[in-house]
Amino acid sequence: MDSSKNHRSGYASFILLFVAIKVGLNLLAISHFGFQRDELLHLALGDHLAWGYKEVPPFIALLAKISTTVFGDSVFATRIFSTLAGGLIIWFTGKIVVEFGGGRFAIAVACLALIFSPGFAASDYLFQPVVFDQLWWLLTAYLTIRYINTSAPKYIYLLGVVIGVGLLTKYTMAFFACAIIIGLLFTKQRSTLWNIRILFAVLIALLIFLPNIIWQFRHHLPLVTHMKTLRSTQLEYIKPSDFIKQQLLVNGIALFVWLPGLVAILFSSALSKFRFIAFAYILVFIFLLEMNGKAYYLFGAYPMLFAAGGYSFEQWLKPKYRILRTAIVLLFTLPNLLLLPVALPIFPLDRTLAAFRFVHLAPTWEDQKQHPLTQDYADMFGWDEMGEKVAWAYTGLSPDQQKHTQIFADNYGETGAVYHYGKKYHLPEVASLNSSFTLWAPDSLNAHYIIYVDDRGGYNVEKRLAPYVGKYVRLGEVKSAYAREKGTAIYLLINPKPGLNEIYTKELARKLLE
């Protein structure tokens, strides 16, 4: 079918209805709970703009800078760009349905299934690179499909821009871009690759990405160290069977939309010219399976499969089966609607806890123990309390003592929290040797007083640092009942000995070379 016939005026406004639902749900949840651990890091990166960081490319930092400058630094303001990106994901999913030749029913099935997918509900509202990575993957698929349907050169050049920006968002874009190219080689659409415009698109992408490449080499390739650390601390524990199971479960009942979509692209003659999409998905799936990748690394490849699934159901269920069509939409929406509060905080805390109990869900965290909330939810509690208690410790010192005081925190979440809330309390900048905070850490840690945030609840001070200080005083701890940081202790270290600074400077030098 000629896709131009499907560009009826009603389609754009119809797709916008689902964009509005997605954005509305995010706005409903946007201010419940507090900042998530990673969001605090990303806001701090925005105050230290560079072409790269130890754990992420620079795009999220630039967005953070724009966001805080234009909207402010509240939880609501921080999540505005994520919410917009979530809405655009729904928009381009609907647009791909139209490119396939689908109509309103196909759009409704694809978009609603995607909106209420637990995986996408949970990942598309926090200020993290994940949602933007999904958007660039989807745009890559859309622009490739659009070029195949129209042969318009502008889509090739736009593709280069999207891939370049995608690489500045998450390096996983490289996997998907390569998978799309290999997928095209497996199909009759390989002819689109034998075109000088493709070389220009590659050049555009590389030019956009080049500053980060240069930054990586100038900083001793921290990406390599980050991936090694990630693999040894997290990825090694992901079993291939777990990865497969997560892919089957993460979208809930919407599995029965994207999986038929994958099969349809592989075998349907009506979608044969888009078969490269299925091959791209399979290639990335196999790669991540072999690399022990996390489940969400593959999320960006699903919207195009949802679009194919919506198109397929429309072909199978003709307009005369109106009741059956309605039943299908409800079937792929209502079960996931019940799971929505455990993925997206649309309710206050007490009702969210009740929702977890209702579905008999006790999530397992990285500590391999069961908890009343997901780890992502738990990572949104306790940060304001931590900032207030560090500020209380600092203001409890005399003005002369404050002049000779430094603040140090163990992990990037704590450091981000003290950094963020410290602005309100006019605290000195917090130091840390964790994550990208290492890049702007002070050269020495030798003040007369150090306010120390101990992420092991006092173990680091009492068992490791005690010989290196004249005296230490425990000033408090995080008591927020549902915080993952519950028990994190705050100490005042008095008259540190030279040995403490020696340990610090050696560790700083080592980490700057990683």
Side-chain angles (χ1 to χ4, degrees), residues 367-398:
D367 62 7
Q368 302 307 308
K369 296 178 182 178
Q370 290 187 323
H371 296 268
L373 292 171
T374 62
Q375 188 167 295
D376 260 347
Y377 278 4
D379 266 333
M380 288 187 262
F381 292 99
W383 305 117
D384 53 348
E385 178 189 357
M386 184 182 297
E388 289 170 5
K389 289 185 173 177
V390 170
W392 175 81
Y394 182 74
T395 55
L397 300 172
S398 69

Side-chain angles (χ1 to χ4, degrees), residues 145 188 208 211 259 296 315 390-391 470 497:
I145 291 168
K188 294 179 180 179
I208 292 172
L259 193 56
Y296 71 84
Q315 300 307 301
V390 170
K497 299 175 183 178

Side-chain angles (χ1 to χ4, degrees), residues 82 182 210 255 265 365:
S82 303
I182 297 171
L210 182 60
L255 165 71
I265 297 177
W365 295 0

Side-chain angles (χ1 to χ4, degrees), residues 194-235:
W194 318 137
N195 192 317
I196 191 66
R197 300 187 189 113
I198 294 292
L199 293 178
F200 283 118
V202 171
L203 182 61
I204 290 169
L206 287 176
L207 285 174
I208 292 172
F209 185 48
L210 182 60
N212 182 252
I213 296 174
I214 295 171
W215 184 94
Q216 284 285 336
F217 279 101
R218 285 182 174 176
H219 290 80
H220 314 286
L221 293 172
L223 172 63
V224 175
T225 302
H226 177 67
M227 290 307 299
K228 286 180 179 177
T229 303
L230 186 64
R231 188 168 185 83
S232 63
T233 59
Q234 297 182 38
L235 302 186

